[in-house]
Amino acid sequence: MSTFQELGLNEDLLNAITDMGFITPSDVQQQAIPLLLNEERDLVALAQTGTGKTAAFGFPMLQKIDVDSRTTQGLILSPTRELCLQITNELKQYGKYCNGLNVVAIYGGASITDQAKQVKRGAQIVVATPGRMKDMISRKMVDISKIQYSVLDEADEMLNMGFYEDITDILSHTPDDKSTWLFSATMPREVASIAKKFMYDPFEITVGNKNESTNNVSHEYYLVNARDRYQALKRLADANPDIFSVVFCRTKRDTQKVAENLIESGYSAGALHGDLSQNQRDLVMKSFRNKQIQMLVATDVAARGIDVDDITHVINYQLPDEIETYTHRSGRTGRAGKTGVSMVIVSKSELRKIKSIERIIKKQFEKKDIPSGTEITEVQLMSLANKIHNTEIGHEIDKYLDSINELFEDTSKEDLIKKFFSVEFNRFHNYYQKSKDLGVVDSRDTSEGRVSSNDTRYFINVGRKDGFDWMKLKDFLKEKLELGRDDVFKVDVKESFSFFNTEKEMQEKVLAFFTDFKHEGRFVNVEVSENKGRSGGGRRRDGGGRGKRRFDDKPRGERRSRRSNDGDRNRDDNRGDRRRRSDDKPRGRRSEKSNFSGSDRPRRSRRK
Ligand code: AMP
């Protein structure tokens, strides 16, 4: 593997790379940079967003253009304003030591005359969305007749969005002898035909296989009755207290509705779709980036170009119509070397789509059960315990300690801990105890067909922060316990702990092994979990519908008071970002990601 220096980049770029903290070139950079630096040739690169492709074309372009000239030499077309701005910002950072460099972004929804002025000052590189670019060409506000490099970024997305004509028109104003570099996550027929039409003998590089999903993302599906879809979504969120996710819906209406319902239910959520004004979309994206929003509910079109690196989960609330779109959705997580999970909530009638997606992404889905109430309660409790354990003590508390100590004078440490955790535990426990399981039986599925009474579910105090994902933990357990391929199942990895199942007969062996076992210097603790771990897609149906309280049952008064909070704000301007604001919460808590303590869901007032 080469270093950035060995790829042939100049001093100005290497200094910027050092400033940005990039250590090694990514796969697409390894492949593309030397080719583009050394030859004037076209390029077709199959690479997903998050692979470092902006730098793969950005570095060579910056090195090759003449910054002393004011002529526009590079044109980058991208599908959305978001992406356009993201590329522009990245290029400005990469080129921060290239004296005289001017990169200008051109996109709809902002003043065209201002953009024209910026171009006129001399922009060596223009980054544009096709619609606005075409407009500016026809008004002679930009001259691309002398460009030497054109980039079609996320070409499949641009074509999906109906930009074929615009792209054709724009390219007809560029010189024939320029080089064209096309980047696309997938290679549908339309992209291949663009490549054929506008490019000559291109280099072809592929990062992973065509349409293939990155290795950093694991894929899971949850089979539910269509009517339980929303409840399933809430449980997935509750079972992942640190979730930071994009939830994909098929239509703008569903997107708005799901986001509103989540907000009503007390989650920090926001909607992102095309019926929102640019201003509203910017506000939502800002809140999402700041992590004030944990669940961004979005349409496929609106989510294009989301450039947030640490998204933990992508949730497919509904599957996309075009199966290939799944690759784009799941590519929003597992970026910049991190791992991520792509979850699909699926009804029986859509199950066949899972198989088609598996063929396209060349990855297997893991079938999982919607977490039971018990499991969620445990997860939330342990998450809170970990959070408290890791909290640094602030000395502002000191002045209250005398009164607190007095109050608890007669309470033992043990009782104090029990009382403290009961406050939160009872809330989730009471909320979920009567709720039914949400899975449905998949008659075709035999792999998970274990009878739950024969299983033991365990809690283990290692998780993602110890470098495990479900595959690694499964391998680890199999190896340590010397078990066979299918002996460890239903492995669920959370941030600092996990769950797994074995057959009951192995319980003794498992517990015995972990009585005195250290991993990387730390004792590994394994306990039998209260939650038995449902099997076979929800064969158990405890509780049923009888006496079940609807999740959305909320005391009227509380609803009203929330509305009036929202009412203080300009509703129109914040329609996409109507996350809950409880102004009586301390600042730090607002952005805190704990579902247990940072939000009031399940609501205290439900506890009657
Ligand atoms: P992109 O695929 O261009 O959207 O890049 C995804 C993210 O990875 C961006 O935040 C880049 O700044 C970052 N990035 C790009 N190249 C590297 C690299 N070689 N090392 C670390 N991060 C990188």
Side-chain angles (χ1 to χ4, degrees):
M1 188 179 274
S2 317
T3 60
F4 281 110
Q5 201 160 16
E6 286 160 356
L7 294 182
L9 295 174
N10 66 25
E11 211 57 34
D12 288 345
L13 294 173
L14 290 173
N15 287 337
I17 289 168
T18 308
D19 287 358
M20 279 181 302
F22 296 179
I23 313 280
T24 42
S26 69
D27 192 1
V28 67
Q29 292 162 6
Q30 292 271 357
Q31 296 191 57
I33 292 172
L35 291 179
L36 301 182
L37 281 181
N38 297 327
E39 290 192 52
E40 299 297 331
R41 232 173 99 180
D42 292 344
L43 170 82
V44 173
L46 276 167
Q48 296 224 12
T49 174
T51 53
K53 64 186 168 55
T54 313
F57 63 75
F59 289 149
M61 187 181 281
L62 288 166
Q63 186 149 326
K64 288 183 144 191
I65 56 164
D66 176 6
V67 280
D68 296 329
S69 155
R70 288 176 46 182
T71 308
T72 301
Q73 302 151 55
L75 168 68
I76 299 159
L77 292 177
S78 84
T80 62
R81 165 194 158 121
E82 266 275 325
L83 191 60
C84 176
L85 286 168
Q86 181 192 331
I87 295 170
T88 309
N89 289 336
E90 290 264 321
L91 291 185
K92 281 181 178 168
Q93 281 192 57
Y94 303 158
K96 69 197 260 203
Y97 297 113
C98 305
N99 274 341
L101 172 72
N102 192 15
V103 185
V104 171
I106 288 179
Y107 49 87
S111 161
I112 197 167
T113 41
D114 284 354
Q115 290 173 357
K117 268 187 216 153
Q118 288 182 48
V119 173
K120 212 163 176 199
R121 268 185 232 130
Q124 297 95 353
I125 299 178
V126 166
V127 188
T129 51
R132 174 57 63 96
M133 187 68 201
K134 194 177 153 200
D135 202 5
M136 287 184 72
I137 293 171
S138 67
R139 291 159 129 197
K140 304 218 174 337
M141 288 172 154
V142 60
D143 175 12
I144 51 169
S145 63
K146 296 192 184 64
I147 63 158
Q148 294 158 32
Y149 307 102
S150 68
V151 174
L152 304 176
D153 194 25
E154 301 214 350
D156 48 353
E157 288 294 351
M158 285 200 282
L159 296 178
N160 268 342
M161 291 170 79
F163 284 134
Y164 181 86
E165 308 266 296
D166 287 353
I167 293 172
T168 315
D169 187 81
I170 292 164
L171 292 181
S172 71
H173 291 85
T174 60
D176 287 340
D177 61 357
K178 69 181 178 304
S179 300
T180 302
W181 306 335
L182 180 149
F183 287 76
S184 192
T186 57
M187 187 47 78
R189 221 171 342 114
E190 295 81 359
V191 177
S193 91
I194 276 252
K196 205 164 162 207
K197 183 162 178 183
F198 292 104
M199 301 167 83
Y200 174 71
D201 188 24
F203 286 120
E204 287 184 24
I205 60 174
T206 303
V207 181
N209 288 328
K210 277 185 197 180
N211 297 326
E212 196 174 290
S213 168
T214 91
N215 278 327
N216 297 345
V217 180
S218 53
H219 303 264
E220 303 174 349
Y221 76 89
Y222 296 82
L223 183 61
V224 297
N225 290 314
R227 64 172 181 277
D228 288 332
R229 209 180 276 276
Y230 178 65
Q231 304 303 341
L233 173 65
K234 291 206 304 183
R235 286 203 190 188
L236 291 175
D238 283 345
N240 292 283
D242 295 317
I243 196 167
F244 180 51
S245 62
V246 183
V247 179
F248 282 98
C249 293
R250 220 165 8 215
T251 65
K252 291 185 250 189
R253 222 168 127 233
D254 287 347
T255 303
Q256 184 67 29
K257 187 106 197 71
V258 169
E260 279 179 8
N261 286 346
L262 285 172
I263 294 161
E264 287 284 319
S265 308
Y267 295 80
S268 59
L272 188 72
H273 57 73
D275 279 354
L276 305 174
S277 70
Q278 192 60 56
N279 188 27
Q280 289 166 340
R281 275 186 281 175
D282 288 348
L283 278 172
V284 181
M285 278 312 297
K286 193 166 165 224
S287 305
F288 187 54
R289 274 199 198 95
N290 295 339
K291 308 226 164 121
Q292 286 169 314
I293 286 180
Q294 259 184 288
M295 300 173 81
L296 180 71
V297 191
T299 56
D300 288 298
V301 174
R304 276 167 194 152
I306 288 180
D307 58 325
V308 182
D309 280 345
D310 36 12
I311 291 169
T312 58
H313 294 76
V314 161
I315 303 184
N316 293 263
Y317 184 75
Q318 295 146 333
L319 278 173
D321 290 327
E322 295 281 328
I323 297 288
E324 290 195 334
T325 304
Y326 179 84
T327 320
H328 285 282
R329 289 183 173 187
S330 57
R332 298 291 152 211
T333 186
R335 288 165 59 98
K338 301 198 174 82
T339 56
V341 183
S342 175
M343 298 171 153
V344 181
I345 303 175
V346 73
S347 66
K348 243 178 174 177
S349 62
E350 301 165 308
L351 255 188
R352 64 190 158 74
K353 282 194 178 179
I354 295 286
K355 287 270 161 276
S356 316
I357 294 174
E358 282 180 337
R359 270 196 298 277
I360 287 179
I361 63 174
K362 299 206 170 58
K363 292 259 152 49
Q364 289 282 106
F365 272 84
E366 198 199 358
K367 178 181 183 296
K368 291 200 137 186
D369 294 325
I370 295 291
S372 67
T374 315
E375 187 162 349
I376 290 172
T377 309
E378 281 182 3
V379 167
Q380 291 283 352
L381 186 66
M382 290 316 298
S383 169
L384 175 64
N386 271 297
K387 209 156 278 170
I388 290 170
H389 187 250
N390 297 335
T391 297
E392 286 195 17
I393 298 173
H395 288 293
E396 298 76 38
I397 194 95
D398 289 353
K399 56 179 178 279
Y400 305 104
L401 284 182
D402 284 347
S403 328
I404 296 174
N405 281 330
E406 203 178 313
L407 191 62
F408 289 102
E409 209 171 27
D410 298 328
T411 315
S412 67
K413 179 185 167 193
E414 197 175 48
D415 279 354
L416 185 62
I417 290 178
K418 281 187 193 164
K419 277 173 191 267
F420 183 85
F421 283 97
S422 293
V423 175
E424 298 294 342
F425 179 79
N426 289 350
R427 201 148 57 86
F428 269 82
H429 178 71
N430 293 348
Y431 182 68
Y432 273 117
Q433 67 175 344
K434 293 212 180 90
S435 62
K436 63 164 184 156
D437 286 344
L438 294 183
V440 289
V441 181
D442 172 11
S443 51
R444 280 170 289 186
D445 179 38
T446 50
S447 62
E448 301 283 316
R450 295 167 189 265
V451 181
S452 65
S453 59
N454 285 338
D455 297 358
T456 300
R457 184 120 173 112
Y458 307 85
F459 164 88
I460 181 168
N461 67 337
V462 294
R464 269 196 292 275
K465 75 175 172 38
D466 305 293
F468 288 104
D469 57 22
W470 70 269
M471 280 178 287
K472 285 187 188 139
L473 184 58
K474 190 169 176 165
D475 288 345
F476 170 80
L477 292 166
K478 273 178 359 202
E479 188 197 315
K480 298 292 170 203
L481 296 163
E482 294 176 358
L483 295 177
R485 200 172 139 249
D486 295 325
D487 290 341
V488 179
F489 48 97
K490 300 208 171 297
V491 181
D492 256 320
V493 176
K494 311 290 178 198
E495 190 56 26
S496 53
F497 54 92
S498 310
F499 296 98
F500 64 94
N501 284 26
T502 70
E503 297 285 344
K504 210 171 215 152
E505 63 200 36
M506 293 171 192
Q507 182 176 318
E508 214 172 308
K509 179 178 177 182
V510 174
L511 295 179
F513 181 84
F514 284 108
T515 45
D516 192 21
F517 177 81
K518 273 188 176 176
H519 174 63
E520 296 182 353
R522 188 154 77 82
F523 276 109
V524 175
N525 179 29
V526 171
E527 289 164 23
V528 173
S529 163
E530 266 289 291
N531 173 48
K532 295 284 177 282
R534 294 171 306 107
S535 293
R539 285 166 175 83
R540 243 178 36 164
R541 293 207 161 247
D542 41 16
R546 231 169 356 110
K548 182 172 79 79
R549 190 185 297 149
R550 261 171 45 91
F551 280 13
D552 287 342
D553 282 354
K554 264 186 280 331
R556 289 275 135 195
E558 195 171 334
R559 247 184 215 185
R560 259 200 311 278
S561 70
R562 229 187 57 63
R563 286 254 158 84
S564 66
N565 265 351
D566 274 357
D568 290 344
R569 303 154 69 212
N570 178 343
R571 273 182 154 267
D572 249 24
D573 252 27
N574 293 292
R575 197 151 60 98
D577 174 20
R578 291 176 47 210
R579 68 192 178 281
R580 186 160 202 274
R581 298 228 168 145
S582 42
D583 284 338
D584 54 350
K585 268 190 212 156
R587 286 266 144 194
R589 289 279 286 278
R590 255 187 227 158
S591 57
E592 198 176 88
K593 292 197 290 167
S594 161
N595 289 352
F596 217 125
S597 55
S599 90
D600 60 348
R601 162 195 100 247
R603 292 173 185 233
R604 289 172 204 276
S605 45
R606 283 198 192 117
R607 198 156 34 103
K608 289 235 174 79

